[in-house]
Amino acid sequence: MVPALVLSTGGAAVAATNTLTLTVLNRSGAKVSVSATVVNLASSSQYTVRSNKKKKLPKGSYAVLTSITSGSTTTLGGRTVKVSGSAKLTVDARQGRRVNLAVSPAPAGLSRNLSARICTKTSASYNVEAYGDAVYVIPTTSKKIAFAALGTWSDSSALADAYAVVHQTTGVPKRPTRTLKRSSLGTVSVVSNLGPAGSNNTDVAVQPIKRGCADDMYSGLWSTDRPSRAKLKLTPGAWHIRSGTSATTKNGESWNIGSYFAERKVATGKSSTVRFYNAAWGPSTQLPTTLYGRVSFMMNEMFTDPAFTRNDTGGEGGDKARATLSFKGKTVKTKKDQGWEPDMTVLDYKVKKAGWYTLTNTATRYYPEIRYPAGMLSTKSVVSYRFYTKPKSNALAEVNSVTMVPTGLNGWNKAGGKTTNVALKLNRYTQDPDAKRGKNPKFKSLGVKMSADGGKTWRTVKVKKIKGVWTAVVPNPASGAVSLRARATYKSGGYTDVTIYRAYGIA
C-alpha cells in the first residue's frame, strides 16, 4: 500500500502564494478527479478543492475530507495537512479498511443497513458519509479527525424486533469493525397508532444524537399502513426515534406531510416507550404572553399529540385558523391563518387598557393537495383563555393549558368498552424568559363534556381523580366518534376552555 504523502517546497525564500495540490487514487491505484472538503483547523473556514488542481489557501493547518468511489465500493478519507508554500497531499483508497458492524447473537431474517462517516473535530464540524455493505475508511491517528458508523437491522414492516448500533472513535481505527452483544443494548418499545394523522402511511427511523461525529446519522427501519408495535434494541446513549407520515397528492405525487421526533436516553438493560399518533390531537401547552405590553399567541399549534413529552417535537402541517382577542365583550383584534403560511402566524395586540381579555383560536385541518383518510380523527380544535393583563406588562397569562389524553384505545385510536377514561393534564410552562411567570392560578373547578354528534349537542360527564390524576369518565356511544370539551376555571375569574372534535373513535 502507498502511504499518504505531504510534500512542501523548501528553501529560504518565503512563498508569495500558498497552495494545496490534492492527488486522489482509487482502489485500483488510478488517479481520479474528485471534490474534497478542506477545513482550516484554526478558523473552521471551509473550502472546496478539486483533485489534480492547485488551490490557493491561506497559510495554516487543514483537514481534508473526501469520498472515493470504485465500482460498488466507497472509500472515505480524512487527512490533515500543513499548507505553506506549495503543499501536496495524496489520498490513496487502497489504504482503506472495510467497515463492519454486527450484533451477537446475530439477528435472524432481518435486513442490515450500514453507513459510515468521517468528520472534522473543529468548532464547526464537517463530514463525508457513505452507505452500503462495501464502505471503506482510511485509518489515521489524527485527533482532528473522527469516525462513526451506524448499523441497523429490521424487517421493514415492524413484525420483529429491530436493532441499531453505533461505533465511533477519535481518529480512524485500523480495524473499523465492532460486534456488540445484545446484552449490552437498551430497549425502546415503539407503538405507532393511526387515526388522527392525515395519512395511513407511516414510517419509523432512528438517529443517534449528542454523539459528536455520529450526530443525526439516519436509518429508516420500517414503513406500514397499519398500526404497529415493535421493540428497538439500541446502543446506550441519546437517540431520536422518528416517525413520518406520507400521502399521495391529487396529481399522484408522494409528499411527506408530518415528522415527529421523540428523544430517549437509552441505557443497558433498561426499557422505555414511544407512542406515536395518539388520540385527541389538540391545542399545545403554549399560553398567551404579554411582552412589552403586547399580547402574543402563536396560532399554528392546534393539533399536537397529547402523549408527547416536552422532549418530543414535530407535527403535521395543514390547518386553517382564526384567532380573536376580546375586551369587555368587544373584539379588539382578529388574525387569520389561511393555511400553509410561510411563517408562524401570530396574533399580536398592543394592550391599551388594563382588564380581562379573552383569546380564542379556532383551527380546522386543511391540506388541499391530498385526500384525508376516511374517518380521520381530530378534525377541528378550539381553545379559549380568559386572563387579566395591562399596558407595559411582561407576564405569562395566569391560566393553565389543558390537555386531554384518552386511554385504553386500540391501534386505530378507537374505544371498545362502555366508557373511556380521559386523563386531564394541566400545565403552565414558561413561554418567554422575558415574561414574568408570576403566581400559578388557584384552581376552582374542572368540567368535561362529550358529544356523540360532532358537537351539535353536549353532555356533562363525571370527573374524578384516578391515581392522583384528574380523569373524565366518558360514556361511549354505539358508533362514530367522541368529541371532548374541557373547562378549567380559576378563583381569579379566568378560565381555559378546550374543545377537540372527533377526539377518538368507536370500534
Side-chain angles (χ1 to χ4, degrees):
M1 288 186 277
V2 180
L5 302 175
V6 180
L7 305 175
S8 62
T9 58
V14 177
T17 303
N18 302 295
T19 63
L20 173 64
T21 301
L22 176 65
T23 300
V24 177
L25 307 178
N26 65 16
R27 294 191 64 80
S28 299
K31 286 186 178 181
V32 291
S33 178
V34 300
S35 179
T37 297
V38 178
V39 182
N40 186 294
L41 294 176
S43 67
S44 292
S45 298
Q46 181 261 340
Y47 306 86
T48 300
V49 173
R50 197 75 192 175
S51 61
N52 307 319
K53 294 183 178 181
K54 282 187 177 182
K55 175 71 174 183
K56 292 181 180 181
L57 295 170
K59 183 179 179 179
S61 296
Y62 292 82
V64 178
L65 305 178
T66 191
S67 176
I68 309 158
T69 301
S70 302
S72 61
T73 70
T74 302
T75 302
L76 303 179
R79 284 286 188 266
T80 55
V81 59
K82 289 184 178 180
V83 175
S84 178
S86 298
K88 296 181 180 180
L89 174 68
T90 296
V91 179
D92 190 341
R94 292 174 295 178
Q95 294 180 332
R97 305 294 179 87
R98 191 164 186 168
V99 178
N100 189 52
L101 293 178
V103 173
S104 179
L110 303 182
S111 299
R112 186 185 74 165
N113 287 317
L114 181 66
S115 59
R117 178 188 284 176
I118 292 180
C119 308
T120 60
K121 296 198 73 175
T122 54
S123 59
S125 181
Y126 298 88
N127 67 76
V128 286
E129 190 167 345
Y131 306 84
D133 288 325
V135 177
Y136 294 75
V137 291
I138 300 173
T140 179
T141 59
S142 173
K143 293 183 179 181
K144 297 298 183 180
I145 304 293
F147 161 78
L150 171 66
T152 62
W153 292 258
S154 68
D155 68 352
S156 74
S157 58
L159 298 178
D161 291 350
Y163 298 79
V165 300
V166 173
H167 176 39
Q168 60 188 111
T169 62
T170 296
V172 181
K174 292 182 179 180
R175 296 189 62 186
T177 64
R178 192 174 184 187
T179 298
L180 293 98
K181 294 182 178 180
R182 292 192 189 186
S183 59
S184 70
L185 307 179
T187 301
V188 177
S189 297
V190 179
V191 180
S192 190
N193 297 325
L194 290 177
S199 169
N200 288 335
N201 298 307
T202 66
D203 61 48
V204 169
V206 289
Q207 284 181 299
I209 58 174
K210 303 175 183 178
R211 307 287 188 99
C213 189
D215 275 359
D216 296 326
M217 295 182 78
Y218 174 94
S219 185
L221 298 178
W222 65 76
S223 179
T224 181
D225 61 357
R226 306 286 296 179
S228 63
R229 292 173 177 262
K231 292 182 178 180
L232 305 184
K233 307 291 186 177
L234 307 167
T235 45
W239 290 84
H240 266 154
I241 315 301
R242 296 185 48 166
S243 186
T245 51
S246 59
T248 302
T249 64
K250 294 175 182 177
N251 62 3
E253 297 177 349
S254 180
W255 284 12
N256 177 277
I257 62 172
S259 296
Y260 303 85
F261 301 78
E263 181 179 334
R264 294 295 182 271
K265 183 69 177 292
V266 175
T268 299
K270 303 296 183 180
S271 298
S272 61
T273 301
V274 172
R275 298 178 182 274
F276 292 112
Y277 312 109
N278 303 280
W281 283 10
S284 73
T285 57
Q286 69 149 331
L287 300 173
T289 299
T290 305
L291 200 60
Y292 306 108
R294 305 188 71 90
V295 172
S296 177
F297 185 81
M298 290 189 296
M299 298 167 54
N300 306 93
E301 298 183 6
M302 294 294 287
F303 297 100
T304 59
D305 193 321
F308 265 25
T309 68
R310 295 208 78 191
N311 286 332
D312 302 335
T313 58
E316 184 177 297
D319 65 85
K320 284 184 174 182
R322 181 178 185 273
T324 60
L325 185 68
S326 62
F327 177 68
K328 292 185 176 181
K330 180 181 178 181
T331 299
V332 294
K333 182 72 174 184
T334 299
K335 183 71 174 182
K336 293 183 179 180
D337 180 358
Q338 300 298 335
W340 296 108
E341 304 285 351
D343 301 302
M344 295 291 289
T345 305
V346 179
L347 181 143
D348 178 82
Y349 174 76
K350 184 177 180 180
V351 179
K352 299 178 177 62
K353 295 181 180 180
W356 288 92
Y357 289 78
T358 301
L359 189 152
T360 299
N361 191 30
T362 302
T364 56
R365 302 286 287 278
Y366 174 74
Y367 214 135
E369 293 85 357
I370 69 170
R371 294 183 177 88
Y372 282 129
M376 186 179 74
L377 300 173
S378 297
T379 53
K380 178 180 178 181
S381 71
V382 185
V383 65
S384 293
Y385 295 106
R386 186 173 190 263
F387 58 99
Y388 183 90
T389 192
K390 58 186 178 180
K392 299 182 180 180
S393 65
N394 292 281
L396 178 67
E398 194 178 319
V399 292
N400 288 315
S401 63
V402 179
T403 302
M404 294 181 275
V405 187
T407 62
L409 308 180
N410 66 16
W412 294 92
N413 282 307
K414 294 182 178 182
K418 292 183 179 180
T419 61
T420 293
N421 287 346
V422 178
L424 304 167
K425 298 181 179 180
L426 281 70
N427 293 296
R428 189 166 179 261
Y429 296 126
T430 301
Q431 312 296 308
D432 191 297
D434 291 332
K436 296 178 181 179
R437 178 181 175 85
K439 60 184 179 180
N440 288 328
K442 293 183 178 180
F443 184 71
K444 182 179 180 181
S445 66
L446 181 61
V448 175
K449 295 181 179 181
M450 63 84 64
S451 174
D453 56 11
K456 294 178 182 178
T457 59
W458 294 91
R459 171 185 173 184
T460 300
V461 303
K462 185 177 181 180
V463 176
K464 61 181 181 179
K465 277 197 171 181
I466 299 178
K467 296 182 179 180
V469 178
W470 287 110
T471 303
V473 182
V474 181
N476 292 322
S479 61
V482 173
S483 300
L484 297 171
R485 175 173 291 164
R487 186 180 182 94
T489 62
Y490 316 107
K491 291 182 179 179
S492 63
Y495 64 76
T496 303
D497 194 288
V498 174
T499 303
I500 303 174
Y501 291 85
R502 296 182 58 83
Y504 65 90
I506 302 299

